[in-house]
Amino acid sequence: MGVELLDLSVPITTGMPVYPGDPEVEAVPALTVADAGVNVLRLHMGSQTGTHVDAPFHVDDALPRLDELPLSRFTGPAAVMDARGLPPRAPIGPDLLPDGLAPGVVLLIATGWSEHWGSDDYLAHPYPAPETAEAIVAAGVRTVGIDALSVDRTPPPGADDFSLAAHRVLCGAGAVIAENLTGLGRVLAARDAGRAIEVSLFPIALAGADGAPVRAVARVGW
């Protein structure tokens, strides 16, 4: 059986979008072939840069850090939740959860919001309601990814209604959360065609970290 590899990651570039208040990203030459005989980039970025995973420690000092989680938490067969077509900042209800949720499954939430990447509209993404996060945890799922800035509502600029409700439910159960995925429409198409899908979300091995960038990849069978 043949396989197709789908890259679900955004590229890390200078000036790329970040969550409001997070460190800005800079990737510039530190060494060049002309001057030093080799090309080396100097990177300045936060642990939540681009396509990344949150460890439970991200929201609670008492919860596991990134390097305390098993590698199995970052890969598995995929189930895809089709939440496309919702209005800006709409909560995603549990009625949209797909069949087949079980321990070991990676749930991907497709909002379609990755098409707004790089624009102000990207901050106005839909997000899982707290009861949806609770249903995910109750099904035994401990790995969740979304093609949006956060699994929680990102407030408009100047608003003070910041919440981490879904983060607290998921991370409180020991789950990892992948954010800023892209290209989930291709994964939905593969699912609808009856193709087997496995997802890998392996992070950089940052010691004691709250999270780290990942190269998110879907492995799709023919």
Side-chain angles (χ1 to χ4, degrees):
M1 176 182 290
V3 298
E4 180 182 8
L5 298 179
L6 304 179
D7 192 347
L8 309 180
S9 315
V10 297
I12 293 177
T13 60
T14 297
M16 68 187 292
V18 297
Y19 193 89
D22 276 13
E24 296 295 330
V25 178
E26 185 179 49
V28 297
L31 301 174
T32 64
V33 169
D35 293 333
V38 293
N39 288 314
V40 175
L41 281 177
R42 180 174 65 248
L43 302 177
H44 177 274
M45 60 186 188
S47 56
Q48 306 279 316
T49 292
T51 305
H52 67 274
V53 292
D54 298 345
F57 177 70
H58 181 48
V59 298
D60 192 321
D61 289 344
L63 294 176
R65 298 169 186 255
L66 188 66
D67 53 359
E68 295 173 332
L69 298 168
L71 286 177
S72 59
R73 196 66 53 84
F74 303 99
T75 188
V80 193
M81 182 183 194
D82 191 351
R84 296 174 297 179
L86 295 177
R89 293 193 171 88
I92 303 170
D95 56 304
L96 294 179
L97 285 170
D99 296 332
L101 297 185
V105 167
V106 176
L107 174 62
L108 301 179
I109 303 173
T111 68
W113 228 253
S114 58
E115 67 183 43
H116 299 297
W117 176 255
S119 75
D120 291 342
D121 290 338
Y122 191 65
L123 277 65
H125 58 88
Y127 60 96
E131 58 267 28
T132 304
E134 290 167 359
I136 292 167
V137 167
V141 172
R142 295 297 182 268
T143 311
V144 179
I146 190 168
D147 58 350
L149 187 59
S150 175
V151 293
D152 280 298
R153 182 177 184 270
T154 301
D160 59 0
D161 54 344
F162 177 74
S163 171
L164 288 173
H167 273 88
R168 295 197 185 284
V169 171
L170 295 169
C171 291
V176 297
I177 302 165
E179 296 165 327
N180 292 325
L181 296 171
T182 191
L184 292 189
R186 295 173 297 163
V187 182
L188 278 166
R191 181 203 67 179
D192 293 344
R195 299 167 69 184
I197 306 164
E198 293 187 359
V199 175
S200 296
L201 305 165
F202 292 114
I204 297 172
L206 291 179
D210 58 279
V214 307
R215 187 68 177 267
V217 175
R219 181 182 175 94
V220 178
W222 293 108

